[in-house]
Amino acid sequence: MEFNGAYLMVLLLAFNIVGSTHASDPDIISDFVLPPGQNPANVDGNFFTFTGLRQVGSNNLTWQSNVKVTKASMAEFPALTGLSVSMAVLQFPAGGVNPPHTHPRASELLYLMSGSLEVGVVDTTGKLFTQSLYAGDLFVFPAGLVHFQLNKDYKNIAFAVSGFGSANAGTVSLPSTLFTSGITSDVLAKSFKTDAKTIEMLKASLKA
């Protein structure tokens, strides 16, 4: 699938509005922020251009492979620094899941471009809100809350675009954070009311 340029232009404009109205990044006191050492006199249109999404959708995803996330945050697109906006394109293979995670510095507005997704978000009381999304639907994940996306279609891929109200929303993946960050098996076993052997098996499976 190739993405329609007009679609992305409209989405970028919408995400800019979201970022401007509810910015979580510190305000800047200049029009934009240049990387250290860059001469303002040398800035041209290339500085404000990101071409990293040109090949999105052109690769083949295998069944139940990892979800492919192509980011356009300040790390990949320095012109976003201080502008409180970024985006990502998510490509879900058939049966693919984006595991439970959080974005500590921004809310996420997801637009499903094709296919279908099951999504869910958990609030601070532990209540789970789920929804089935279809092409053209929007879903918002409030900043800091645990959420996930699942492509339950085992025949077709799904494509989505997410906008964030931060140039660096950050991502904390729960499985990898809990089981590959170095937290001891003893702590995890007691926390999950299981045994250390089970925890070690989980750690091994995530590192494979």
Side-chain angles (χ1 to χ4, degrees):
M1 172 186 174
E2 296 295 336
F3 285 96
N4 186 300
Y7 263 131
L8 287 179
M9 183 179 294
V10 171
L11 288 168
L12 282 171
L13 289 172
F15 294 152
N16 261 299
I17 293 171
V18 171
S20 299
T21 56
H22 187 67
S24 60
D25 295 349
D27 290 334
I28 59 175
I29 55 175
S30 58
D31 293 335
F32 49 87
V33 177
L34 291 175
Q38 183 164 345
N39 187 341
N42 296 330
V43 174
D44 58 18
N46 289 319
F47 176 72
F48 301 98
T49 303
F50 181 69
T51 62
L53 300 179
R54 288 182 178 179
Q55 300 304 314
V56 167
S58 62
N59 62 311
N60 294 320
L61 299 177
T62 58
W63 185 78
Q64 283 195 330
S65 62
N66 293 329
V67 173
K68 181 175 176 57
V69 180
T70 307
K71 296 180 180 179
S73 67
M74 60 183 283
E76 298 80 20
F77 190 10
L80 298 181
T81 302
L83 301 185
S84 301
V85 64
S86 61
M87 65 177 292
V89 175
L90 299 92
Q91 303 174 71
F92 294 84
V97 62
N98 194 5
H101 62 281
T102 70
H103 301 294
R105 293 182 288 276
S107 297
E108 175 183 0
L109 183 61
L110 181 142
Y111 172 67
L112 185 57
M113 296 187 67
S114 68
S116 61
L117 289 176
E118 299 295 316
V119 301
V121 60
V122 182
D123 70 11
T124 55
T125 70
K127 183 176 181 179
L128 172 64
F129 301 86
T130 60
Q131 185 64 41
S132 298
L133 301 183
Y134 301 94
D137 291 346
L138 286 168
F139 194 89
V140 64
F141 303 100
L145 297 187
V146 174
H147 59 280
F148 64 88
Q149 300 106 19
L150 169 66
N151 182 6
K152 293 180 70 175
D153 189 332
Y154 287 94
K155 294 182 178 180
N156 300 297
I157 61 177
F159 288 84
V161 177
S162 287
F164 302 92
S166 169
N168 184 23
T171 300
V172 180
S173 172
L174 270 62
S176 60
T177 298
L178 289 172
F179 297 105
T180 68
S181 63
I183 299 175
T184 66
S185 296
D186 183 53
V187 169
L188 292 172
K190 291 180 179 178
S191 299
F192 286 96
K193 301 185 185 307
T194 186
D195 55 81
K197 183 178 179 180
T198 300
I199 297 298
E200 290 298 328
M201 291 174 60
L202 287 168
K203 287 183 175 183
S205 66
L206 288 169
K207 291 179 180 179

